[in-house]
Amino acid sequence: MGGPGEAELPDDLLLRAERSPPGAGKAKKAARKPARGARGRNCHIRNLMVKVRDLGLGFNSDEIVLFKYCSGSCHRARSNYDLTLGTLLRQQLIAPGPQERVLSHPCCRPTRYEAVSFMDVQNTWQTVEKLSAAECSCIG
């Protein structure tokens, strides 16, 4: 005879559990919360305080603005296309030209942008559209 309460379970529940692949319940829990070391690698927004003149856009301003950018890997977002392309590149069945770069993985890129406003040295407000990332996602 089995453990306590075993007789109370309907037969279809026991069969359903037997049909489930090993570790099926564990995979769902792991997908909800990334491992401690993986948190910094997944695609997300990072912040950097930077002088306007260091942005490289030609504005003369001493102001410091918050620049948001996307950072992290997208290995979990790889599709069958990405896996196949990576294999074909490794086998050298696809050979990019000298000035080409073929990527076999999605990239962490902005999917929405924010404008940034600041005052230049002539006390004029300037607004630069689509300068800072507002959302990031794995693209490709």
Side-chain angles (χ1 to χ4, degrees), residues 1-121:
M1 190 139 167
E6 186 175 306
E8 297 171 9
L9 291 175
D11 288 338
D12 65 329
L13 285 179
L14 291 173
L15 294 175
R16 203 177 306 151
E18 290 172 3
R19 289 191 309 254
S20 297
K26 293 178 184 175
K28 289 179 184 175
K29 286 183 180 178
R32 282 186 218 139
K33 187 176 179 183
R36 183 175 291 199
R39 286 183 194 141
R41 292 185 297 223
N42 295 334
C43 184
H44 64 283
I45 291 182
R46 306 249 347 229
N47 298 322
L48 177 68
M49 299 300 286
V50 62
K51 290 182 182 178
V52 170
R53 63 175 44 124
D54 292 338
L55 294 173
L57 298 175
F59 291 102
N60 190 11
S61 175
D62 296 322
E63 293 223 12
I64 295 175
V65 295
L66 178 64
F67 177 73
K68 299 179 195 175
Y69 63 99
C70 298
S71 177
S73 71
C74 292
H75 292 292
R76 286 188 172 181
R78 291 190 308 176
S79 65
N80 288 330
Y81 168 83
D82 300 312
L83 296 171
T84 301
L85 184 59
T87 299
L88 295 175
L89 286 166
R90 280 190 301 281
Q91 294 174 357
Q92 297 181 343
L93 295 173
I94 296 175
Q99 301 298 317
E100 286 182 330
R101 185 172 172 201
V102 178
L103 297 176
S104 62
H105 56 83
C107 299
C108 181
R109 296 283 301 159
T111 53
R112 194 169 57 83
Y113 296 90
E114 295 176 343
V116 174
S117 297
F118 57 90
M119 191 171 288
D120 64 16
V121 293

